[in-house]
Amino acid sequence: QVQLQESGPGLLKPSQTLSLTCTVSGGSIISGGYFWSWIRQRPGTGLQWMGYIYYSGSAYYNPSLKSRLTISVDTSKNQFSLKLASVTAADTAVYYCARYSGGTCWFDPWGQGTLVTVSS
Amino acid sequence: QSALTQPPSASGSPGQSVTISCTGTSSDVGGYNYVSWYQQYPGKAPKLVIYEVTKRPSGVPGRFSGSKSGNTASLTVSGLQADDEADYYCSSYGGSDNFEVFGGGTKLTVL
């Protein structure tokens, strides 16, 4: 079955750019109908959808993050990535990648999540 | 502030039923039959338990059911068991402006 795994640095300083990669295994990222998503969870709070991308490269972003967020896909590596610019302490969160069904709008499966802390 | 409103907590005794609400607007919950629910244990990733308002993925017990009326969706857990104690989040498609929106989560306690 499809599995997702996040990777990237766990500690950043304010104003730096957060870069994370999600590696998809057990299935192809070139799967019709699925988008590849990033979702975050700030400490003690709920989930926030950040954005998703189709294998063709078409990306869609949360309006509140759109100015700082870039999501890209590398089909040759079966990976997709997130870049969030100009981070602050408010970007401290667990970041999850997940597969999103475009036709029926659900997220499954999810990666295990990776904690990113922004601190000077 | 989350786009969808959930009660912060809910509780019930083993064997009882509990219902968790998720209130949005006509631009999300009320406008589409694309509400999903996720179960999250502490320190773990969320797991899909309901999609398209009422459908259960393979492997999810029949004790989990979903419904919707107007701008409010609901998740009902029947025959509560100890391992149902978790956080539950709703999500809805929000159209081409907001795409996907989540609720703030509800902590379900089995007494």
Side-chain angles (χ1 to χ4, degrees), chain B residues 42-81:
Chain B
K44 300 295 186 181
K47 170 192 169 187
L48 178 70
V49 294
I50 293 287
Y51 67 100
E52 288 185 82
V53 180
T54 62
K55 298 178 180 179
R56 276 179 294 107
S58 173
V60 174
R63 301 183 295 102
F64 290 84
S65 62
S67 62
K68 190 185 85 167
S69 177
N71 295 337
T72 298
S74 298
L75 172 71
T76 297
V77 185
S78 305
L80 272 176
Q81 298 181 0

Side-chain angles (χ1 to χ4, degrees), chain A residues 39 41 45-49 52 60-63 96 100 103-108 110-113, chain B residues 2 34 36 38 40 43-48 51-52 89 91 93 97-104:
Chain A
I39 297 156
Q41 186 169 32
T45 68
L47 301 165
Q48 181 185 32
W49 173 76
Y52 45 52
Y60 305 85
Y61 301 113
N62 185 314
Y96 295 100
Y100 177 78
T104 45
C105 306
W106 43 258
F107 297 96
D108 183 71
W110 297 56
Q112 66 183 30
Chain B
S2 299
Y34 295 131
S36 52
Y38 303 86
Q40 185 181 36
K44 300 295 186 181
K47 170 192 169 187
L48 178 70
Y51 67 100
E52 288 185 82
Y89 292 90
S91 175
Y93 179 66
D97 289 333
N98 292 312
F99 300 101
E100 280 292 325
V101 289
F102 282 96

